[in-house]
Amino acid sequence: MFLTISTTGSAQRPATDLGHLLHKHPEKAQAFSTSYGTAHVLYPEADAERCTAALLLEVDAVALVRRSKGKGRGGAPDAALAQYVNDRPYAASSLLAVALGSVFSTAMRGVCAARPELPGVPLPLRVEVPALPARGGADLVRRLFEPLGWTVTAEPVPLDVEFPDWGDSRYIRLTLESAALLAEALRHLYVLLPVLDDAKHYWVAPDEVDKLLRVGDGWLAGHPERELITRRYLSHRWSLTRRAQERLELVRLAEADDSEVEDLDNAVEPEAEDEEKPTPLGVQRREAILAVLRASGAARVLDLGCGQGQLVQALLKDPAFTEIVGVDVSMRALTIASRRLKLDRMGERQASRVTLLQGSLAYTDKRLKGYDAAVLCEVIEHLDLPRLPALEYAVFGSARPRTVCVTTPNVEYNVRWESLPAGKVRHGDHRFEWTREEFRGWARTVAERRGYAVEFLPVGPDDPEVGPPTQMAVFRLGGPESVTPESVTSKSDTPKPVTPKEAKAA
Ligand code: SAH
């Protein structure tokens, strides 16, 4: 089984730089012994214009059988012969990927001690794999490599050239072309060759999850076929696949950072007739939440999707809240929060009251169990609608605090924001914005399903036609008693003006 990697040179850079990058001298043929046979690295061509490195794995079938102790491909009782008569010698399977990973491990990490600048330079690369076992066919091969920037040629290999009517075999002749970093190309191959083969020759242990995340760094989290890749790479082991999916989702969310403070939150009415300074909506929201939490008697509070930590900061000012935990998926938001709170300079007693955790609300998290109250302030609309049941389970099913306070924009109010073009949501990352009826429908269903009572409160001026700018639901575990604090209802009776951001600029 073998594959080749070629590059072309230019006036500034000879093609033989490939040898430096791979840490294998172009003038030598080298052999490395691996657990499954001998891996050879040789260069069929190597001059300034063109350089091709070939990796050839000479499989030791006997060693393979001994190692696998019958666990090998096709573990069926009649597979004894299949251990010796099979496609191992020529098909580019997971064995080749393992050889690639061990022979080119330094290159895969993008390290070149002799020429440190080299790994960072994209090269015109051409990878050829003459016999690639591809479960899913040429179509899947394209779906896997094209999103990574490769130009893919995937031709099915006929079962027998002498007998064309026998049709195609399950093998593909694959050519990939791209201007890419060599380390990235190697990592793509290392993961995707076994994924296409879909029959790992070795037992997949839990540390494969770490390996996959390491090798998949920078390209796997956002790959459209992420789920299939993870599942097959981890040999369909469900618990490992789930763990990898969770971690990749965290990576994806952290990459698509949406922790910006919403502009409209800070908008105030500049022409307000009142002498008193009008209160921005963001502040009104925090005051409403604090009132709900105080009325509930909560001492230990979760701020889920805490963003840059404004609410955590407000909670810290009230000694009634003895333990405050801010959770967010965005590392960047948490870093800003930590700076805002001056966590590193805080006295010991104060610091012992606050914890910031990275985590996704779309997954159950044991660390969030046993709190008095949880706040989701302008968070649910940042999740894709199909992820909401997962959040519901994580918060109301698993963490299960006594009180849960959820706020979200009321989309009906958007017509009152002069600066907001019709039909637009308030923030680029909002996946949806609900009417009052939609929010109430969702909240009532959740409450019923999870054994909570729910009440609704307006935040900001409660417009007779379109309602308030922010809508709030307060859930109380099992309790029929009212959860409405006086201070909140009375506040909404005397609305403060809340106004568009453009008014601020005026
Ligand atoms: N509660 C804050 C921030 C609101 S912005 C405030 O009112 O100012 C929404 C926040 O939710 C962002 O910080 C975003 O990173 C976070 N978020 C989005 N999806 C999340 C998820 N699945 N798990 C945890 N946090 C998430």
Side-chain angles (χ1 to χ4, degrees):
M1 53 176 84
F2 83 112
L3 60 78
T4 59
I5 303 171
S6 315
T7 189
T8 48
S10 64
Q12 302 80 36
R13 191 188 46 73
T16 43
D17 275 357
L18 186 64
H20 284 292
L21 278 167
L22 290 171
H23 294 250
K24 302 287 175 277
H25 202 290
E27 278 164 23
K28 284 195 243 167
Q30 299 182 60
F32 305 85
S33 120
T34 78
S35 0
Y36 307 106
T38 310
H40 302 269
V41 179
L42 47 127
Y43 290 77
E45 57 183 345
D47 55 37
E49 279 88 64
R50 279 189 63 83
C51 184
T52 297
L55 171 68
L56 186 143
L57 180 65
E58 211 181 343
V59 177
D60 180 347
V62 175
L64 198 60
V65 175
R66 288 216 181 103
R67 280 182 63 89
S68 65
K69 296 196 191 76
K71 277 190 310 211
R73 173 185 296 212
D78 65 347
L81 192 58
Q83 302 283 10
Y84 298 94
V85 183
N86 55 31
D87 64 1
R88 288 282 178 227
Y90 56 86
S93 63
S94 57
L95 288 177
L96 187 62
V98 170
L100 182 92
S102 67
V103 172
F104 298 136
S105 63
T106 315
M108 212 161 91
R109 278 185 281 122
V111 174
C112 182
R115 304 270 304 276
E117 78 294 349
L118 268 190
V121 182
L123 301 179
L125 290 178
R126 181 183 167 93
V127 177
E128 281 182 69
V129 189
L132 172 71
R135 209 163 75 81
D139 174 55
L140 181 62
V141 176
R142 278 189 283 272
R143 271 161 39 216
L144 292 180
F145 284 100
E146 278 174 356
L148 300 170
W150 293 99
T151 305
V152 177
T153 316
E155 302 160 59
V157 176
L159 207 50
D160 192 319
V161 274
E162 310 255 320
F163 300 96
D165 356 328
W166 288 8
D168 292 330
S169 66
R170 65 183 195 97
Y171 302 96
I172 299 276
R173 164 182 280 282
L174 173 69
T175 309
L176 300 171
E177 283 170 297
S178 175
L181 301 183
L182 182 70
E184 272 179 2
L186 293 173
R187 290 190 208 172
H188 297 164
L189 293 168
Y190 181 81
V191 172
L192 297 179
L193 293 184
V195 162
L196 283 161
D197 186 21
D198 200 17
K200 281 217 167 166
H201 61 280
Y202 57 89
W203 174 244
V204 171
D207 66 354
E208 290 278 311
V209 174
D210 294 321
K211 201 194 290 173
L212 176 63
L213 269 112
R214 219 165 37 236
V215 182
D217 185 34
W219 63 273
L220 184 53
H223 196 295
E225 294 292 345
R226 182 179 88 186
E227 211 163 315
L228 176 139
I229 296 171
T230 316
R231 188 161 22 89
R232 284 195 182 186
Y233 185 89
L234 297 168
S235 292
H236 304 267
R237 283 194 63 192
W238 189 83
S239 61
L240 297 187
T241 306
R242 188 190 128 110
R243 207 181 308 158
Q245 287 287 0
E246 286 180 11
R247 287 173 54 188
L248 286 166
E249 181 65 6
L250 286 180
V251 172
R252 189 191 65 77
L253 286 164
E255 280 169 1
D257 201 304
D258 55 23
S259 60
E260 299 301 317
V261 175
E262 317 203 352
D263 291 346
L264 293 171
D265 280 9
N266 299 323
V268 288
E269 176 83 78
E271 300 146 37
E273 306 280 298
D274 333 3
E275 282 87 78
E276 58 175 312
K277 215 168 152 255
T279 319
L281 181 58
V283 176
Q284 293 190 53
R285 205 154 42 216
R286 282 193 285 285
E287 281 172 1
I289 291 167
L290 286 170
V292 165
L293 293 176
R294 286 186 188 119
S296 78
R300 304 176 62 235
V301 179
L302 298 167
D303 182 7
L304 304 176
C306 64
Q308 310 189 348
Q310 290 96 330
L311 180 65
V312 173
Q313 191 172 36
L315 287 164
L316 267 172
K317 291 194 180 128
D318 185 338
F321 303 113
T322 56
E323 197 181 327
I324 304 147
V325 179
V327 180
D328 205 287
V329 75
S330 158
M331 223 30 233
R332 207 178 69 135
L334 291 174
T335 308
I336 298 173
S338 155
R339 245 182 267 139
R340 169 193 303 277
L341 300 167
K342 303 193 175 66
L343 276 188
D344 50 341
R345 274 171 284 157
M346 215 177 241
E348 216 170 285
R349 259 194 54 206
Q350 195 72 334
S352 70
R353 289 172 62 209
V354 52
T355 314
L356 297 180
L357 298 176
Q358 190 191 22
S360 168
L361 301 169
Y363 298 100
T364 55
D365 190 335
K366 288 200 196 90
R367 299 174 298 179
L368 308 185
K369 283 182 195 261
Y371 284 83
D372 300 328
V375 177
L376 288 142
C377 176
E378 307 296 281
V379 173
I380 58 170
E381 65 277 8
H382 289 263
L383 275 86
D384 290 320
L385 270 175
R387 307 295 292 165
L388 271 194
L391 174 136
E392 174 193 329
Y393 181 71
V395 175
F396 296 89
S398 168
R400 246 179 133 59
R402 265 194 291 119
T403 305
V404 183
C405 177
V406 179
T407 76
T408 195
N410 161 25
V411 72
E412 295 165 84
Y413 191 88
N414 285 2
V415 294
R416 296 282 185 271
W417 298 109
E418 284 156 26
S419 61
L420 202 64
K424 271 273 163 60
V425 290
R426 298 182 194 179
H427 184 264
D429 188 60
H430 285 181
R431 311 302 162 91
F432 61 87
E433 284 180 352
W434 273 337
T435 62
R436 283 167 293 175
E437 200 184 317
E438 285 167 326
F439 179 52
R440 285 168 192 215
W442 172 80
R444 288 199 180 106
T445 312
V446 170
E448 193 172 323
R449 205 158 33 212
R450 305 293 170 189
Y452 282 77
V454 64
E455 279 184 64
F456 301 95
L457 302 168
V459 181
D462 200 353
D463 186 286
E465 255 174 73
V466 296
T470 295
Q471 38 186 349
M472 178 193 273
V474 183
F475 299 78
R476 158 79 42 102
L477 190 58
E481 76 267 43
S482 172
V483 292
T484 312
E486 279 310 306
S487 51
V488 174
T489 30
S490 58
K491 192 165 204 89
S492 62
D493 291 335
T494 49
K496 293 270 164 66
V498 183
T499 47
K501 65 173 170 199
E502 137 191 307
K504 189 169 116 196

